[in-house]
Amino acid sequence: MVAARAGVHRDTLLRWLREAVVAEPARDRRGWRVFTESEAARIESFAKATSNSRSPDPRSSIVRSESIERLYEIDWDFADAKTAYLTHGLHPYPAKYIPQIPNALIQELSSTGETVGDVFCGSGTTLVEALVLKRHAFGLDANPLACLITKTKTTPLSAAERSSLLDLSHRAEALGGELSSQTEGSLFGPALFQSRADRPRAEDLPFWFEPFVIEELAEARAWSQSLPTEATQRAALVCLSSIIVAVSKQDSDTRYVRRAKDVTPGETLRRFGRSLRLCSRMLAELADIVEPRFTSTVVNRNILEQPESPVLDLVVCSPPYPNAYSYHLYHRTRMLWLEMDQPTFKRVEIGSHRKYSSKSKSAATIETFRSELHTLFAWMRKALRPTRHACFVVGNSTIGGRVFDNGDLLSEVARAEGFVEEARLKRHMLDSRKAFNPAHGKIKSEDIVILRNARGGAL
Ligand SMILES: C[S@@+](CC[C@H](N)C(=O)[O-])C[C@H]1O[C@@H](n2cnc3c(N)ncnc32)[C@H](O)[C@@H]1O
């Protein structure tokens, strides 16, 4: 009766009760629910508010909960899945998730032609999958390098553009090969190749790079910047960025300490050439699959500043969480060469070790993260279409020796900001996976928390 009065299916009302979106009434002796007049009126007005929201949801709630049921059937470990197809393997990115995760969520929780957003887009995994599945893609990240990578991975190039990347790859491999053979044949050590190109003015450049690597990187960067279109320049710079940690003295992608490496003259240009060749092939595959009518928009913003966004039909993301990673450090040597504003990113980066490990009184705590999450969900409640989903892939954090369950925290804050938790899926990480470093980030399993925007409003 109450469902009919509210104009919703009985199953929808049962789901609202289960999720505590509407209050549970008292029951009679047979266990049947007995709604008072004011409880029924509240349900009626909740149903009206949901259906009056900005635009009607084309998919019924019953279909939606079947989608959630299907999500529970999936084995989220994806232990043997191939993860580097299309452009996914173009550039390393700490804590990037495997494409199978956004793929499954996008298929179940959105429809063709809708807009899927990732507000911590990192290297753009969600956006690539959104385009492949015929959705528009929106990505946001405070890290300018993340935006450059994402834009490149989601922009198909024309055949002419791809051939200019290939030409450059031949040029780089030829000079790299020449420099390598000169070194091997010389009794007096390598004759230093000197590039006439500009190089970054950072004082610590020689601390992080061998002198001959600096010359080769300067040459490769100047070549990239002289390519004919903005998209090819961007792609070449991403290829350059992808090899920088390997040819530098930075220990690894997730350790910002110096150590000696065995980089030889010519190697930098040869690596750059190889990366360009792979990139050209990957972007050809992307162009074959992605229809030009599906667009990808990427913005370099701090999510906590409430940036503008298109109306999103689904959000799929993996947020930065306390004390897990420090992207501003891991990417510093790359950002030097790309002349990106690293200090600004450092200031706004959520979760970085630097903010949590400080001994000062102003060091961040779990309450810092809670307050950032409130700001995030207040923004998302307006940016995400009412009744639609936001999916978060999160692990736990360790701060000062204490473990915090970020899934619980996220869900608690989201509920306070007008979301309901529809599902929490578990996923286990294999230690052999490179994408995460469990010892470093203290991550052994992850939750996929699926929230629904229970109310809405204009942005
Ligand atoms: C776990 S990573 C996302 C990885 C991504 N899912 C992928 O597959 O590549 C989290 C991202 O949050 C970004 N981030 C940190 N603080 C931010 C902020 N204040 N606003 C927007 N993005 C931020 C980081 O730069 C990082 O790229």
Side-chain angles (χ1 to χ4, degrees), residues 153-164:
K153 284 171 70 173
T154 55
T155 307
L157 298 187
S158 68
E161 287 176 314
R162 293 196 306 266
S163 109
S164 69

Side-chain angles (χ1 to χ4, degrees), residues 93-98 118-126 140-143 146 150 153 301-304 316-321 325 327 331 345 348-351 393 436:
Y93 202 88
K96 87 174 169 191
Y97 50 33
I98 58 170
D118 184 341
V119 292
F120 301 105
C121 71
S123 61
T125 314
T126 306
L140 182 148
D141 204 292
N143 180 353
T150 300
K153 284 171 70 173
R301 292 293 306 271
N302 171 8
I303 191 67
L304 302 179
V316 180
C317 65
S318 167
Y321 36 85
Y325 292 93
Y327 291 93
H331 288 159
F345 172 49
V348 303
E349 182 182 354
I350 296 171
V393 182
F436 281 86

